[in-house]
Amino acid sequence: MSDPIADALAALTRPGMGTENAGPALRALATMSRPRTVLEVGAGSSTLHLLLGLADARAEAARDRRIIGGQSPEPERASVLRPRAALADYAPKLLVVDDISVPGTSADQVLQAARALGLDDMLTFIERDFFDLTDEELDSWGPLDLVWLDAGTQADDAAFLTSLWPRVPLGGTVVLHEPYIATTVETRDPQGRTRVAGRIVPTPLLQELRRQAAAGGGGMDVLALDEPHKHRQTGLLLIRRREAWEGDRGTSFSEELAALGETDSAEPPLLDPPAEPAGPARPAGSAGPATPTDPTTPAGAVPEQPAAREAEDPARALVAALADETRRRVYSAVVLLPDTAQGVAERLALAPARVAKALAALEQSGLVTRTGDGWSAVDDVWREASPRRERPPAPVVIPAKRGKRLVFLKELVRLFEPDRRYPERSVNDLLREVHPDVAALRRYLVEERLLARADGQYWRL
C-alpha cells in the first residue's frame, strides 16, 4: 500500500546527499521545540520534513490542551506538562524564501506536495532573493523561533546570520548544514619537510562561532553534529540563544547537589581541563582544549591534529568535488575560458545562482580562483595532488655482492605499486630512471622474487 508522505519525500530527496539524515532531524527538532514561526532559506525536501514536524507538534499541542482541559484523562502525561504553556493556542507557520516562478523546480514540487498532503495551510512562500529583503520585511515576520539555512556559501551563511540572529528570540535555534569541510592542509615537520594532506576540518564559520561562544557571556550554545562516514554534505550545526533563566546561578556544583538533597561530596566532571602551562598558547576565544602545534607550521596552515579525520587523499577530494554534474560543467567552462560568473551562466544557459554555488564549491576545493569579478582554473592543484613516488638513489653500478644488491633491489621495487600489473615497456621506463641496464634489473628483481612475471606482465610480490 502506498504511503503518500514517503512517496512525496522520495520524490524530493536525492539519496545519499545529506537530507536523508538531516531532514528527519529537522522534523524531530520542530516537533520537540514547538516553534511558532520557522524560516527556511531555499526550498527542498527539508521543507516537507519541517512541515511534517510542525504538523506533529500541532497535533501534540491539541492533545495536551485536551488533557489539561480534562477532556482526555491521561495522568502520566498531565504530570509532565506545564498547564499555562499547554493551554496556549498553537498555530505554527513556515516561511520559505525561494523563487517558485520556474515550473518544475524543487520549490514548485514542494508546494505541490504540501498541498497534496494538506500541509500548505502552514506554508508561505516568499518569492524573493533573501538579500533583496528590507529590514521592514524581515521585521514583519515577527520572532523567528527556528531557522534552517542550507542555501549558500560560508560568506552567505555569515550574512544570513548577521541579518537573522537579532530576530531569533531567547530559546530560538538556527540550524545550518555541513559544519565540516574536506580540504587540503599543509604541515611541516621538525626537519623542515612539507607535507600536504587531505583533512576534514571545521568550517571557518563553525570556528568563529565557537570562539564567540567561548569569549562571550554565555548567551548562546553552539553544537556541531558530525557524520563521520562522509567527507561532504555532512552533519548539522545548531546555534541556540539561551533564555534568561538558563544563566549561571553562581553556586558550586556540590552546593547545588546538597540543596537538592543529594550528596555534597561528588566532584564536578572536568570535561575541558586547561592546557598544560608548557604547551603552546591557545588563541584568544578558542573553544576546547588546546592541541599541540608544530612550531614550524607555516603561517596560515591548519596544523595536523591527532584526532583529525583523514579525507581520502588530495586527488580523491578533487574528484569528489567534481562528482556533481553542474560543478563539472562550470569547471570545464572556466578551464576553457576564464570568465565572470554571469558570463559562465550565459554560456552554459544555467541560472546564475546555480553557477555561483558551483563556483563557491570549486573555489573551496582549490580548483578555481577569483580575481576581481573573473574566475580562472588553478592548474597547480592537480600537480600537487598527483602521487609522488619515492625513488632510491641511482648508484654508479649495480652492487655485485648479493647481500648489498638485495638491499638495493628492495628499495628499487618500491617504484612499483602493489596490486598493479605493468607491461614490460612500463617496467623498463621505471627502471631506466635508476640504471640503464634495465634487463639486468628486471632479471634480478624476478630472481629475488620481488617481482613476478607472466605473459609479458610484471607485478610486485
Side-chain angles (χ1 to χ4, degrees):
M1 184 174 178
S2 179
D3 182 345
I5 293 177
D7 292 344
L9 287 171
L12 288 165
T13 302
R14 293 178 60 191
M17 284 304 293
T19 52
E20 75 281 359
N21 295 325
L26 289 169
R27 176 176 179 173
L29 183 59
T31 303
M32 184 172 65
S33 62
R34 207 173 283 188
R36 293 186 175 276
T37 302
V38 181
L39 173 67
E40 179 183 35
V41 180
S45 62
S46 56
T47 309
L48 205 51
H49 282 290
L50 287 169
L51 285 171
L52 291 167
L54 294 179
D56 294 340
R58 187 168 60 179
E60 189 179 80
R63 172 194 169 205
D64 289 344
R65 282 195 299 275
R66 290 194 301 272
I67 292 171
I68 296 299
Q71 291 87 27
S72 178
E74 295 183 41
E76 191 170 24
R77 175 68 176 176
S79 70
V80 301
L81 293 175
R82 296 162 58 188
R84 174 185 267 176
L87 285 171
D89 290 335
Y90 180 63
K93 60 182 177 180
L94 172 62
L95 309 175
V96 180
V97 180
D98 204 322
D99 184 355
I100 61 171
S101 62
V102 181
T105 63
S106 61
D108 188 55
Q109 295 175 48
V110 166
L111 186 55
Q112 293 181 36
R115 287 171 177 162
L117 295 172
L119 302 173
D120 57 314
D121 62 312
M122 296 183 290
L123 178 61
T124 299
F125 267 101
I126 299 156
E127 302 176 42
R128 298 278 298 281
D129 183 316
F130 178 87
F131 296 113
D132 290 339
L133 294 168
T134 65
D135 286 340
E136 290 74 16
E137 289 173 299
L138 296 177
D139 290 340
S140 70
W141 301 341
L144 304 174
D145 302 304
L146 178 61
V147 176
W148 165 238
L149 300 174
D150 185 28
T153 64
Q154 286 281 293
D156 289 335
D157 286 341
F160 288 144
L161 286 173
T162 298
S163 296
L164 296 173
W165 187 248
R167 296 171 169 87
V168 175
L170 298 178
T173 302
V174 177
V175 188
L176 299 95
H177 201 197
E178 202 163 11
Y180 299 96
I181 55 173
T183 186
T184 54
V185 297
E186 183 178 286
T187 60
R188 189 176 297 166
D189 64 19
Q191 287 72 42
R193 293 174 298 196
T194 298
R195 178 171 177 258
V196 177
R199 289 287 185 271
I200 303 294
V201 299
T203 61
L205 183 61
L206 172 55
Q207 185 170 258
E208 174 61 26
L209 292 174
R210 281 175 169 167
R211 288 172 180 155
Q212 292 184 23
M220 69 177 178
D221 294 317
V222 175
L223 174 64
L225 302 176
D226 188 22
E227 293 177 271
H229 51 285
K230 294 159 63 178
H231 74 268
R232 58 183 293 270
Q233 288 288 318
T234 170
L236 293 174
L237 171 59
L238 287 81
I239 316 159
R240 181 176 176 273
R241 189 189 286 278
R242 292 187 199 169
E243 298 199 52
W245 55 267
E246 297 181 85
D248 191 333
R249 291 182 292 272
T251 51
S252 70
F253 176 71
S254 58
E255 289 173 331
E256 298 216 328
L257 286 187
L260 290 170
E262 299 187 26
T263 175
D264 59 358
S265 60
E267 291 293 329
L270 188 59
L271 304 184
D272 190 10
E276 294 292 332
R282 182 166 57 185
S286 65
T291 301
T293 308
D294 180 358
T296 60
T297 298
V302 178
E304 284 195 83
Q305 301 180 9
R309 177 156 49 89
E310 289 274 358
E312 298 277 348
D313 59 47
R316 290 195 179 191
L318 296 179
V319 172
L322 294 172
D324 178 75
E325 180 183 356
T326 300
R327 289 200 292 270
R328 287 197 302 273
R329 293 177 63 189
V330 170
Y331 179 62
S332 299
V334 173
V335 169
L336 291 172
L337 177 65
D339 203 346
T340 63
Q342 183 63 35
V344 173
E346 292 174 357
R347 284 159 51 199
L348 297 178
L350 291 174
R354 288 182 64 188
V355 172
K357 187 173 183 179
L359 286 169
L362 294 169
E363 183 183 32
Q364 190 178 78
S365 302
L367 287 164
V368 300
T369 187
R370 175 168 45 186
T371 304
D373 293 333
W375 292 86
S376 58
V378 178
D379 296 330
D380 290 345
V381 68
W382 292 105
R383 186 159 44 251
E384 292 172 1
S386 63
R388 296 176 175 83
R389 293 193 301 267
E390 296 183 19
R391 303 180 184 279
V396 176
V397 294
I398 300 172
K401 292 185 177 181
R402 183 174 180 270
K404 292 183 177 180
R405 187 169 65 239
L406 185 57
V407 172
F408 162 68
L409 292 171
K410 286 181 177 178
E411 283 293 310
L412 181 64
V413 78
R414 293 173 62 190
L415 291 173
F416 298 86
E417 298 176 12
D419 303 319
R420 177 180 170 184
R421 292 180 178 253
Y422 294 81
E424 187 168 298
R425 179 176 178 180
S426 298
V427 174
N428 292 342
D429 290 340
L430 286 171
L431 297 178
R432 192 172 290 111
E433 297 181 21
V434 178
H435 195 280
D437 193 350
V438 295
L441 291 177
R442 283 201 323 270
R443 184 176 69 255
Y444 286 135
L445 287 166
V446 172
E447 288 175 351
E448 297 293 352
R449 301 184 62 80
L450 297 172
L451 285 185
R453 175 179 59 195
D455 300 324
Q457 302 280 318
Y458 293 76
W459 61 94
R460 182 174 170 178
L461 295 173

